[in-house]
Structure formats: C-alpha cells, structure tokens
Amino acid sequence: MIILERKSNILVIVLFLLIFLINISIEFKKYQELTNEEVYETKVEVLNIYEKENYNILRLKAKDFDFFTNIDKFENIKKQDILNILIISKNLSFLDYLKGFYAKSINFYKIEKITTLKDKIIKEINLSHNDEIIKELFQALFLAVPISKELRDICTNYGISHLIALSGFHLGVLSFVIYWIFYYPYSFFHGKYFSYRNKKYDLLLISIFFLFCYLIITDIVPSLLRAFVMFVLAIFLLRSNIKIFSFMTLLITFLIVVSLFPKYLFSLGFWFSIIAVFYIFLFIQYFKDLNKYLQILIFNFWIFLIFNPIVHFYFPQTSYEQFLSPIITIFFTLFYPIEIFAHIFDFAIYFDGFIKSFLFHKINVYEVFTPFYFFIVYLIVSLASIFYKKAFWSLNILMIIFNLYLYI
C-alpha cells in the first residue's frame, strides 16, 4: 500500500513537471515575441506609482507580463489608467522577463478604459470613504489593488502585511459569507426538487464557483490563488476521506500553482503564503494534543515569532508595536467580515476615524536584517522539523534566539 502511494505521488509530481515545462515553453515564446524587435508596443494598466524626487516609477501590467518604467513627475497618470506604450525590450533576459523587469519607455498616451466590474467596486469603495489612504487600504483588502509605499511601510511597521495581502484567511471569510448567503435559498430548492443530493457539498461547489470569479476579478493574485487551490483540494480530499492538513497537500498545491503559472516562482507574496501555511501545518503536527483553548491562545503569537526570521530577511523594519501583530490578527477576524457588510450596506465611513488614528500612530522604527547564514540554517531546520521532533525543538530555540536578537 505504501509503495503504491509513493508511486502515485511520483506520478503526480512528474505530471505537474510536464505541465510546468509546457507552460514555461509558452512563456519563452511570449518572451521571444517581446524581444524580437528593439521597440515593443503594448497596452498596459497602471498598477502602482512610486514617487521619487525627480520622477515617478510606474508598475505596469500588460497582457502577458508585468514591468516597471519611469516617467516625468508632471505627467498626469493615475493608478488603474490604461496606456498605450512603446518600450525598449531588446536586451532583456528570459529570467528578467519572468521576474518582472525594468524597461525604458519611449512614448505613451492614455487610452479610454472599458469599465469593468472591478472598476465599479473600486468606485463604490471610494465613495464610502473620504481619506485617500483608507480608500487605498480597502481597495487592497477587497480587490488586491497594490498599495503605496506609505501604506506598505505602515503595515510592515505593525507587522500586519499578511493581513493586507489577500490569502487564505480572506478566502475563508468570503467562502463563509457566500455559503450562508446561499444556504436558505438553496435549502428550499434542495428540499423540494433534489433532496437526494448532498446539500453541504453542493453549497461548497457554489462557493467554489463564486470564489473563482473573485479570483479572476482580482487578476489571480498569487497568494489568493494558493489559498483557492488549497480550498478546492481540501473539499476534494474531505469528500474522499483523505487527510487534509498534510505537507503533501501543500506540496501538490505548490506544484499546481507553479506548473500553471511559472512566473509565480518569483513572487515573494506567493512564497510567503506557502511558508506561512507550512508553519501552520508544523504547529498542527506538534501542538495538536494541547488543550484547544491553549492552542487558540498561543497560535497567533507562535506564528508571528516563528515567521520573523523569514520576514526580516527581506524587510528589516522593526518596532515594538509589531508585538501587537498577533492581537491585531485576532481582532481582524471580526473586523474583516464587519467591513464587508459595512461596505455593502453603506455605513463603512463610521469606522474611518478609528482606522485613521491607528494608521497614523507614530511608530519608532529601526532596522534589523536576518543574517544570510542564519536564514539558510533556519530553512534547513524548518524542513527537517517535518520528520524529526528534535529538529522542531531546535527550530523553536532558533526562533527564541532570533527574536531576542531582534527586539533586545
């Protein structure tokens, strides 16, 4: 039985490897089209604008790739604008193409934008608030619209960037809302016409459909896609009486996402999402016998502390307010669904004063990077913790040492 299971796992991995090779070859063909001539013309959406002293940097999304360019500060360009642009693409490498690249722009002009459902939702969000940074916050929370450096720094200083990036928690809340919106209407038709069907399973399938639509509206954010794939896998595995919370499930999720979207190998948000779930599974594996109330109490604090060495390898901003992160995360489980209903029923503005005072609270920030050698050792010990209990306790010792180094 074990041999058969291992063979099936190997076949699954080989299958996804083949899909990955097919998709990477498709990406290479697109790359060749981009670099075939020295100048390339395309239509792009402005995802974000980063202001510099003498110019602005634009993050742009074309049909097949994302890239950056810079423009003069006097240009009247806003987020979500649509541009027709000419860029120099001749000396671009395939690796840079996959990662997202910088290209010098020669000329561009605005073109009329076709209003989408996403644009309509953004407009409704903006009408619900007066302050620009709060508008930006909820555009990110509901639609994964990229945030400014100012808001990103605030979230990093509080240690709550994971709450802004759409992922598993947000998907879980949305699935709960969708499930209960359809529960009573579907129950009526279920009881009258097809009571032989599994009502809960059908409602989960309905939830999957609407979550997939939401995924498309948000332009398939890597971390959200990871969560969606795991959600679908969990329903399938639960239906088949197979263990849901396993590292194999996480590996299959990773393989599905990367095989379909090879570029996501270079998405930091995707990797953070995968690593976060990895540590959640470690927590479940080693603390599952603890009292449930004790589990709930220590879970967010442990995840915050265990993830710090990973976060600080990329983002050195450190503050004592980051200790509020686990508490804010717990509070967010109420805040997020309340804000969804507040925006639907048009009373979201009443919370803006509290949000603004929170966002503009003065935080003293200093910088601490995770040393490279520590980062590598930490990753190795983390992986070893899947198989060895001693490695897990060693990981916790490293976690304590690093957080003492970070905050003392």
Side-chain angles (χ1 to χ4, degrees):
M1 187 69 181
I2 295 173
I3 294 172
L4 287 173
E5 187 177 338
R6 286 179 179 174
K7 282 185 178 180
S8 63
N9 289 339
I10 291 170
L11 284 173
V12 167
I13 292 170
V14 170
L15 174 63
F16 286 125
L17 179 60
L18 288 173
I19 296 171
F20 172 80
L21 292 173
I22 291 168
N23 280 306
I24 203 75
S25 65
I26 292 171
E27 291 293 344
F28 187 73
K29 187 177 180 181
K30 292 175 183 177
Y31 159 76
Q32 287 180 315
E33 291 173 0
L34 173 63
T35 56
N36 191 40
E37 296 184 12
E38 189 169 349
V39 177
Y40 185 82
E41 183 176 8
T42 186
K43 185 172 74 172
V44 298
E45 179 184 4
V46 180
L47 294 181
N48 214 343
I49 302 172
Y50 306 97
E51 294 187 6
K52 300 296 181 180
E53 187 176 347
N54 300 316
Y55 59 92
N56 290 337
I57 295 176
L58 303 184
R59 181 184 170 192
L60 303 171
K61 181 178 181 61
K63 182 182 177 183
D64 297 319
F65 54 87
D66 294 2
F67 67 101
F68 298 85
T69 193
N70 62 280
I71 62 167
D72 292 327
K73 289 188 75 70
F74 65 81
E75 297 286 356
N76 184 26
I77 301 296
K78 301 186 293 295
K79 285 167 67 172
Q80 284 98 47
D81 279 349
I82 303 296
L83 311 176
N84 195 84
I85 191 167
L86 289 170
I87 60 172
I88 297 175
S89 59
K90 187 66 177 177
N91 297 318
L92 177 68
S93 72
F94 183 52
L95 185 61
D96 287 335
Y97 167 81
L98 291 173
K99 290 165 62 177
F101 57 92
Y102 170 85
K104 185 176 181 181
S105 57
I106 299 173
N107 187 32
F108 65 87
Y109 57 87
K110 284 188 186 181
I111 57 179
E112 187 177 351
K113 184 176 184 179
I114 299 171
T115 304
T116 63
L117 177 59
K118 182 177 181 178
D119 296 322
K120 292 177 181 177
I121 298 172
I122 289 173
K123 184 179 179 181
E124 290 300 318
I125 291 171
N126 292 343
L127 289 173
S128 299
H129 308 280
N130 296 324
D131 193 272
E132 289 300 320
I133 200 164
I134 294 179
K135 292 178 184 178
E136 188 181 352
L137 172 67
F138 285 106
Q139 287 176 21
L141 281 174
F142 295 149
L143 294 169
V145 175
I147 59 177
S148 64
K149 183 180 183 300
E150 181 186 7
L151 183 55
R152 186 177 69 243
D153 286 344
I154 291 170
C155 295
T156 303
N157 295 343
Y158 272 116
I160 57 170
S161 297
H162 61 287
L163 299 179
I164 303 300
L166 293 185
S167 59
F169 170 76
H170 307 79
L171 198 83
V173 171
L174 288 171
S175 64
F176 178 82
V177 171
I178 293 166
Y179 186 95
W180 286 105
I181 284 174
F182 284 95
Y183 183 83
Y184 292 105
Y186 184 79
S187 295
F188 171 78
F189 290 103
H190 175 267
K192 197 169 185 179
Y193 298 109
F194 30 83
S195 56
Y196 58 90
R197 290 192 58 84
N198 185 322
K199 183 170 68 175
K200 291 181 179 179
Y201 184 67
D202 286 351
L203 285 165
L204 287 171
L205 291 179
I206 292 170
S207 300
I208 287 174
F209 171 76
F210 282 98
L211 290 174
F212 179 75
C213 293
Y214 178 65
L215 188 67
I216 299 300
I217 290 171
T218 58
D219 297 323
I220 313 182
V221 179
S223 56
L224 191 63
L225 176 62
R226 190 279 309 159
F228 177 77
V229 171
M230 285 205 78
F231 180 74
V232 174
L233 272 177
I235 292 172
F236 170 77
L237 294 174
L238 193 64
R239 180 82 170 173
S240 305
N241 293 316
I242 300 173
K243 185 180 178 182
I244 298 173
F245 299 111
S246 72
F247 293 102
M248 181 54 68
T249 305
L250 183 60
L251 176 60
I252 291 172
T253 300
F254 173 81
L255 292 173
I256 289 172
V257 173
V258 170
S259 63
L260 294 175
F261 300 93
K263 287 182 181 179
Y264 288 176
L265 272 173
F266 303 98
S267 167
L268 188 59
F270 173 66
W271 279 107
F272 273 12
S273 179
I274 289 288
I275 294 169
V277 176
F278 171 84
Y279 285 125
I280 289 170
F281 284 1
L282 270 186
F283 181 90
I284 293 170
Q285 178 174 320
Y286 286 101
F287 294 119
K288 62 186 176 184
D289 295 326
L290 277 181
N291 178 277
K292 287 186 178 181
Y293 295 106
L294 190 58
Q295 285 184 35
I296 294 169
L297 182 65
I298 69 172
F299 172 74
N300 283 302
F301 289 93
W302 187 83
I303 291 295
F304 164 69
L305 294 172
I306 205 76
F307 209 66
N308 263 342
I310 308 296
V311 172
H312 283 267
F313 184 75
Y314 297 95
F315 303 106
Q317 294 99 314
T318 310
S319 72
Y320 292 113
E321 279 81 357
Q322 287 172 354
F323 281 108
L324 295 173
S325 175
I327 299 168
I328 295 169
T329 300
I330 294 169
F331 172 74
F332 192 77
T333 60
L334 295 174
F335 171 80
Y336 189 65
I338 288 171
E339 282 290 353
I340 290 175
F341 285 106
H343 282 80
I344 292 172
F345 297 106
D346 198 24
F347 62 91
I349 196 167
Y350 295 112
F351 303 110
D352 284 10
F354 300 103
I355 296 170
K356 195 172 179 179
S357 62
F358 171 78
L359 292 177
F360 290 101
H361 168 70
K362 178 67 176 176
I363 298 177
N364 294 317
V365 179
Y366 57 98
E367 292 191 350
V368 180
F369 276 103
T370 304
F372 178 73
Y373 70 88
F374 186 91
F375 180 73
I376 296 301
V377 170
Y378 195 78
L379 289 179
I380 293 170
V381 175
S382 295
L383 289 172
S385 298
I386 299 173
F387 310 102
Y388 306 106
K389 194 171 185 178
K390 287 183 179 178
F392 178 73
W393 295 121
S394 299
L395 176 67
N396 281 269
I397 292 169
L398 290 174
M399 173 193 77
I400 293 168
I401 291 170
F402 179 83
N403 281 282
L404 289 172
Y405 163 74
L406 190 62
Y407 293 110
I408 294 180

